Amino acid sequence: MNWEQLLSLKRQGDKGKRLRVEQDDTRLGFEVDYDRIIFSAAFRSLQDKTQVIPLSKTDFVHTRLTHSLEVSVVGRSLGRLVGKKIIEKYPHLKEVHGYHMNDFGAIVAAASLAHDIGNPPFGHSGEKAIGEYFSIGKGQQYKDQLTAKEWQDLIDFEGNANGFSVLTASRPGIEGGLRISYATLGAFMKYPKESLPKKPTKDIADKKYGFFQTEKAFFQEVALDMGLIPNKSGDNIGFERHPLAYLVEAADDICYTIIDFEDGINLGLVSEDFALEYLIKLVKDSIDTSKYKTLETKEDRISYLRALAIGSLINDAVKVFIENEALILAGKFPYAIMDKSKYKAQMDDIIKISVKNIYQSREVIEKEIVGYQIIQTLLDKFITAFNNKFNGNASNYDSLIMKMLPEKHHLEKENLYGRLLHICHYVSLLTDGNALELFETINGRKKN
């Protein structure tokens, strides 16, 4: 892989290349990506989607939106720091092609901003709820009518693949979705493979999948245009990662490790003593002890340690990336960046405490249970109505349910897989609150 090809400004529908040297620096294409994402309805919905605590009304707690904004900030820093090193190593990128270090930051920031845009309501349990509707729920009835890969897309419903669909899928009058640059799409694609074969290797890029069968052709177009390295054989589609996808992943890893931990401390789920014990190991080289002692509140002390910890992890992630850049370009780095961090043991300790005290807390479990029931009920009602309408045998109840489906989702889908995925996509874009309200309406529980 080479950086000039990887930093493609091309967008869906373009006939030729967009040259960096011809770009208007006041409105750079990679920054346009960021703007398009932040103004999208799918991004706005993240303000009422779970990060850790579902349906929480506590001011402390991060939503998917605040988490995504924070990941984009960390991603921008990672991209700029790496970009500075890359431009120094390959000066022709600037001298001949006009690239700047900030371009790397803009690409990683935009991809990081979108990294959760396809996640369903109620956190990761939302993905599982959709998958289990098909694998062990009422959706099992459709298995024999689908190909193996179509079925796998549904039973392993994946937020990353759904996000790629959000960013790129066309609908009448809206060709190419948000029309994001190929470079940003490449950085977004953490798992550049289809759902089968499932986890064919221990390579981090094979951990999940990155696109549905509906987006397969365009996914391949993007990957091949940027020169990503194919790594699957026969009818199976898969590529080595775009190098900047490692930085998007690192930004997410840094934020959820440190900031979810901070949420847990502020909610009283993790004691401040644990915070000091675990965070101090990350900041011992940068902490200003005299300043720390002047901070009087727990919130201020934790905030100070969090900022220093994120800084330490950013600098170490950049170091790991640059040391392994040649292997990454050759498609021979099968690890997450933070798995090779000198702070990996400390991050693992923090995640272990978070899992025990936060992710498995009673409040989280209770609300995830509610989320399961909501999502599976909505899927069943809308899939049944959508299919019955297509088949010409819709009941009056089905017609009423279809009236609850927003106008932009009233699309003709000729095959069963397309209809099933379309309803999954619709449900996935609901906020936690919207899903709950719709569920209560359908079940006759909504209060006027």
Side-chain angles (χ1 to χ4, degrees):
M1 290 182 279
N2 67 80
W3 283 109
E4 183 198 351
Q5 206 170 352
L6 291 164
L7 300 175
S8 174
L9 282 151
K10 188 176 180 181
R11 299 179 187 279
Q12 190 168 351
D14 286 352
K15 299 303 181 185
K17 292 179 67 174
R18 293 183 185 227
L19 301 179
R20 174 62 180 89
V21 74
E22 296 176 353
Q23 286 278 301
D24 178 355
D25 281 330
T26 65
R27 184 80 170 135
L28 180 62
F30 303 131
E31 292 169 348
V32 171
D33 293 341
Y34 192 97
D35 298 349
R36 290 181 177 181
I37 292 163
I38 211 163
F39 282 109
S40 68
F43 183 78
R44 284 197 303 278
S45 75
L46 298 180
Q47 68 186 306
D48 185 27
K49 281 191 176 180
T50 297
Q51 172 58 17
V52 179
I53 312 292
L55 298 170
S56 177
K57 302 303 179 188
T58 308
D59 289 342
F60 284 129
V61 174
H62 286 78
T63 64
R64 287 278 177 192
L65 185 139
T66 49
H67 169 71
S68 296
L69 289 168
E70 288 165 346
V71 174
S72 76
V73 169
V74 172
R76 185 178 62 220
S77 295
L78 286 168
R80 285 180 175 178
L81 290 166
V82 163
K84 184 173 185 292
K85 300 286 187 183
I86 297 298
I87 295 292
E88 289 171 356
K89 184 175 180 180
Y90 307 104
H92 72 280
L93 288 174
K94 182 176 182 180
E95 294 166 1
V96 177
H97 302 293
Y99 289 105
H100 297 273
M101 71 173 188
N102 284 356
D103 296 348
F104 293 78
I107 292 166
V108 180
S112 297
L113 188 72
H115 83 282
D116 273 350
I117 203 166
N119 280 36
F122 311 112
H124 287 297
S125 69
E127 289 175 307
K128 293 184 178 71
I130 293 175
E132 290 182 5
Y133 171 77
F134 295 100
S135 63
I136 59 175
K138 293 182 178 180
Q140 290 180 85
Q141 62 184 297
Y142 304 114
K143 180 178 181 180
D144 293 341
Q145 302 172 63
L146 304 174
T147 69
K149 289 176 180 177
E150 289 172 345
W151 182 244
Q152 196 68 37
D153 285 357
L154 296 171
I155 64 173
D156 265 347
F157 187 84
E158 174 55 51
N160 288 282
N162 198 45
F164 188 77
S165 180
V166 169
L167 297 176
T168 67
S170 299
R171 67 176 193 267
I174 310 291
E175 297 302 318
L178 299 184
R179 295 194 71 236
I180 302 299
S181 73
Y182 284 12
T184 296
L185 290 175
F188 173 84
M189 296 173 346
K190 290 195 294 184
Y191 309 108
K193 66 176 288 290
E194 55 191 338
S195 57
L196 287 177
K198 185 174 179 178
K199 296 184 181 178
T201 73
K202 292 184 178 180
D203 189 320
I204 188 67
D206 280 339
K207 181 181 176 183
K208 300 180 182 180
Y209 70 96
F211 61 92
F212 298 128
Q213 292 300 299
T214 45
E215 279 74 53
K216 179 194 269 189
F218 181 60
F219 188 96
Q220 286 181 274
E221 178 186 320
V222 173
L224 292 171
D225 185 84
M226 288 189 296
L228 302 191
I229 300 170
N231 62 8
K232 300 292 182 289
S233 59
D235 294 331
N236 298 317
I237 304 302
F239 295 85
E240 300 296 342
R241 274 182 171 175
H242 188 295
L244 297 184
Y246 287 95
L247 298 184
V248 173
E249 179 178 60
D252 189 25
D253 288 349
I254 289 168
C255 286
Y256 82 70
T257 300
I258 302 302
I259 296 172
D260 287 1
F261 192 55
E262 181 186 18
D263 271 355
I265 295 160
N266 286 327
L267 285 169
L269 298 172
V270 177
S271 73
E272 187 176 357
D273 290 341
F274 273 130
L276 294 176
E277 179 183 349
Y278 289 101
L279 291 178
I280 211 77
K281 295 173 184 176
L282 295 173
V283 304
K284 62 180 187 296
D285 296 332
S286 55
I287 190 169
D288 182 338
T289 308
S290 59
K291 177 178 179 179
Y292 181 76
K293 288 178 179 176
T294 65
L295 301 174
E296 296 183 356
T297 69
K298 176 174 76 171
E299 186 178 349
D300 287 342
R301 289 190 294 272
I302 299 306
S303 178
Y304 177 64
L305 292 177
R306 178 253 301 149
L308 291 180
I310 289 175
S312 296
L313 293 173
I314 286 173
N315 290 330
D316 192 58
V318 171
K319 181 173 181 289
V320 172
F321 185 96
I322 294 300
E323 287 176 350
N324 293 282
E325 185 246 0
L327 289 174
I328 290 169
L329 284 178
K332 296 179 178 178
F333 190 76
Y335 318 101
I337 290 290
M338 301 317 296
D339 284 347
K340 295 299 177 181
S341 169
K342 70 178 182 180
Y343 297 115
K344 184 179 188 303
Q346 289 86 346
M347 291 179 73
D348 286 347
D349 286 342
I350 289 172
I351 290 170
K352 195 173 180 180
I353 290 292
S354 294
V355 168
K356 179 182 176 184
N357 291 34
I358 306 171
Y359 306 144
Q360 295 179 354
S361 68
R362 186 175 182 86
E363 181 181 6
V364 170
I365 290 170
E366 286 176 350
K367 289 177 178 175
E368 286 187 344
I369 289 170
V370 172
Y372 257 83
Q373 186 178 4
I374 291 171
I375 286 177
Q376 296 202 346
T377 298
L378 296 181
L379 285 175
D380 193 53
K381 298 297 185 185
F382 281 102
I383 285 173
T384 300
F386 202 49
N387 277 330
N388 286 347
K389 180 187 175 188
F390 176 81
N391 293 322
N393 57 1
S395 67
N396 186 55
Y397 180 73
D398 291 330
S399 298
L400 291 172
I401 290 292
M402 287 299 294
K403 288 179 181 177
M404 301 292 288
L405 193 66
E407 184 181 7
K408 70 178 182 179
H409 292 285
H410 282 262
L411 302 177
E412 294 297 324
K413 297 290 180 180
E414 291 301 317
N415 65 76
L416 176 62
Y417 169 70
R419 294 195 296 277
L420 296 175
L421 194 59
H422 183 65
I423 295 301
C424 290
H425 184 69
Y426 162 64
V427 171
S428 75
L429 294 180
L430 294 170
T431 67
D432 292 15
N434 289 154
L436 175 60
E437 182 179 16
L438 194 53
F439 172 79
E440 290 177 339
T441 298
I442 286 173
N443 284 291
R445 300 178 190 170
K446 187 175 180 183
K447 298 174 182 176
N448 295 321

